[in-house]
Amino acid sequence: MAEFQWPWQYNFPPFFTIQPNKDTQAKQLEAWCLLVLSYCRHRRQYSLDVTDAQDSPLFHNQKIGRKLPLEAVYTVLEELRKKGNIEWTDPKKRNRCLIMWRTPEEWGKIIYQWVTSNGMNNTVCTTYELVNGDDTSNQEFHGMESWLLTRALETLQLERKAELMGSEGVKFF
Amino acid sequence: MDRFVWTNGLLEPYEDLKAQQHGIKIYDGEDKTPFEYGTLILTSHRLIWRDHKRSDCVLALPLSQIVFLEETESGLGKSAKIVVHLSPAPPNRPPGPVASSQNSYIRLSFKDAGETEFHRRFIEELARRSWEMTQPHPAQQQQAEQAGPTGARRAGIVGIERKLEQKRKETDQTISVAFEDLSNLMEKAKDMVSLSKTIAQKIQDKQGAISEDETVQFKSYLLSLGIPNPVTRETHGSGTNYHMQLAKELAQVLQQPLEECGGMMSLADVYCRVNRARGMELLSPDDLLNACKLLEALKLPMRLREFDSGVVVVQLVSHSEEEVVRETSRLVEESGSLTAEELSRVASFSVMLARERLLTTEKKGLLCRDDTVEGLRFYPNLFSTKPVMEP
């Protein structure tokens, strides 16, 4: 896995203080959202534990000795939730969230593109081979967690491009 | 009954009259006494009974000896009574009407009603315990003792007036002793000022044999003396006119220093500078503030400004906000990042003003902050100047 490319903000100390100026803050949060998503994407991470994440390099830059405070971590995550990129698994405690660096619709499109380009229309395959099979090892959706895959396939089903067969199989049209 | 003492019926200076009721008969316990019809007076310190017919027959009971009160309502052929329970008599009390008594309580019979109100006041006064605050002065106590039932020496209004007069004199004396040193100083200062004025006059008129060097020296002395003719309430009356004149004076005095320190000065600094310049005619903070409020209305070249944080400054009108913001942001960019303390060092403002400048500039979106345990540090706002993702 290649080294993650940190954005310039990561080494800019004010990045780790939520800015009181609203305009500045909006730009800052935008950068944080992008960073969180690209970081998770780089690590193929589909969920996030808030306490662990706060100590991980994502929110803690040891080189410049700055750590995003917990309150601010929540601000960033809530911003992502509003955009539809995360979902709390425990909305009351907010300890853990699911991360979708792409929305289910986007995933659906990507999968369908791959299916079409491989001539697999009108065939049935298992969800396991779709995300874990050798054929897809170079695809972005390789290793995707099943909850997200199901959601992505459901969006395709709505467009009548696929049909789920139980929770294990899927037929593409 | 043996707790009562004779008195002249005059109130002590620290004593306050609280309630009064006529038609009172005193019982010693259940027994009748010769004190059958009199006026009962409640003060902050004592209960006083004065006979209606014999005005020299006045009894007093210190409230401190009262343990508690009981009220008995009036009935058929009986008037309402307040039962006053007493603590034992002190061993060496002043002479009273009864040498000793078996009863530890007295009863006050209200022939002419009024017991409810009196009872209420009585309880209030007992709860207040004023006698603990002001213990009667031993000398005064002695006076009261000497004045028996017949010896009302300083009775009436004349007595009160005399007492007041004496008190006033005492106060006067204390004050004048306290201020003696200060008035001496004022006296000297007046001489000094008039002397310097004459010299200044002489210099102006080129009279006397004063060399050029001396002139310069004198002038510098005079400058350090401050404002030659300060606006005072004596010269310019009170109210708005005074404040307006004061505002004009402020504008003159502050122009130079404001320019020197970057166009802005906190009100506290202004206060110190102005008062140092005025020397003896000190300004009150209120007068200064009122005068500063008029600066803008009088179209003087400076105005009062309050920051969001509540810090109040006097600012040159020519000193615009955009300029402050531009200047501050330039300074921060030059050093990479700055705290208020560092900015105050770099640009020689006070730390408080440096902080205000940084906050204003941040509000305008030119700076952003890094808030850590080490303090608040400001950086150029790269969030708005640099793209979110570097190309």
Side-chain angles (χ1 to χ4, degrees), chain A residues 80-92:
Chain A
L80 280 166
R81 191 184 60 78
K82 279 184 215 152
K83 294 180 176 190
N85 290 107
I86 72 153
E87 254 172 45
W88 294 109
T89 53
D90 47 353
K92 281 203 182 128

Side-chain angles (χ1 to χ4, degrees), chain B residues 16-295:
Chain B
D16 286 329
L17 183 82
K18 296 293 177 181
Q20 200 166 347
Q21 177 62 45
H22 53 81
I24 305 293
K25 182 176 180 178
I26 305 181
Y27 290 87
D28 182 11
E30 296 300 318
D31 311 329
K32 283 187 178 174
T33 62
F35 312 106
E36 288 196 338
Y37 202 71
T39 305
L40 193 61
I41 298 156
L42 176 69
T43 76
S44 53
H45 291 70
R46 292 181 296 170
L47 191 65
I48 299 170
W49 184 89
R50 174 182 279 132
D51 198 292
H52 275 211
K53 288 178 196 130
R54 293 168 46 214
S55 60
D56 57 352
C57 176
V58 187
L59 310 177
L61 175 71
L63 293 188
S64 57
Q65 292 200 15
I66 295 173
V67 182
F68 71 96
L69 303 179
E70 250 180 302
E71 199 181 10
T72 34
E73 281 178 17
S74 55
L76 200 64
K78 279 202 312 190
S79 43
K81 292 182 183 63
I82 292 179
V83 186
V84 183
H85 293 264
L86 304 167
S87 56
N92 50 354
R93 74 188 169 92
V98 178
S100 72
S101 168
Q102 298 293 313
N103 299 306
S104 62
Y105 66 97
I106 56 158
R107 295 192 301 158
L108 305 167
S109 173
F110 287 74
K111 299 277 180 208
D112 300 345
E115 69 283 351
T116 322
E117 172 68 8
F118 200 92
H119 183 241
R120 192 176 60 75
R121 289 292 183 85
F122 208 163
I123 288 176
E124 266 177 28
E125 242 6 81
L126 287 178
R128 199 168 285 151
R129 304 183 80 81
S130 316
W131 61 88
E132 285 179 352
M133 262 68 98
T134 43
Q135 280 299 331
H137 198 267
Q140 283 166 337
Q141 205 169 22
Q142 212 153 15
Q143 271 177 14
E145 284 161 19
Q146 283 165 2
T150 46
R153 278 193 209 161
R154 289 205 258 151
I157 295 171
V158 181
I160 296 171
E161 276 182 342
R162 215 178 286 158
K163 211 163 222 176
L164 284 176
E165 179 69 14
Q166 196 185 342
K167 213 164 170 184
R168 200 182 55 78
K169 268 186 191 155
E170 272 171 28
T171 328
D172 269 4
Q173 207 167 3
T174 330
I175 293 174
S176 50
V177 167
F179 282 92
E180 206 159 8
D181 292 349
L182 200 57
S183 58
N184 279 346
L185 181 67
M186 300 263 271
E187 212 58 45
K188 290 268 156 57
K190 258 182 200 157
D191 291 350
M192 280 261 299
V193 172
S194 62
L195 186 69
S196 65
K197 269 185 190 161
T198 10
I199 296 170
Q201 198 62 41
K202 275 187 182 162
I203 293 170
Q204 269 177 7
D205 302 350
K206 291 272 175 196
Q207 281 179 354
I210 299 173
S211 70
E212 205 58 24
D213 268 5
E214 276 172 322
T215 318
V216 174
Q217 207 173 357
F218 263 121
K219 271 191 175 161
S220 72
Y221 283 154
L222 289 180
L223 274 178
S224 68
L225 269 175
I227 304 162
N229 287 309
V231 173
T232 60
R233 284 197 183 276
E234 283 82 45
T235 54
H236 289 87
S238 57
T240 324
N241 185 39
Y242 169 62
H243 288 135
M244 271 160 63
Q245 295 302 322
L246 202 54
K248 282 178 190 160
E249 181 187 303
L250 286 179
Q252 267 175 15
V253 180
L254 292 175
Q255 183 76 33
Q256 187 74 22
L258 273 175
E259 276 166 12
E260 276 165 18
C261 68
M264 201 191 269
M265 201 187 274
S266 76
L267 198 57
D269 287 344
V270 169
Y271 180 73
C272 292
R273 265 183 191 260
V274 169
N275 270 335
R276 197 164 60 189
R278 285 171 68 101
M280 299 307 295
E281 301 290 346
L282 295 182
L283 277 182
S284 78
D286 263 352
D287 281 342
L288 179 74
L289 185 64
N290 284 330
C292 286
K293 280 179 183 160
L294 291 171
L295 285 171

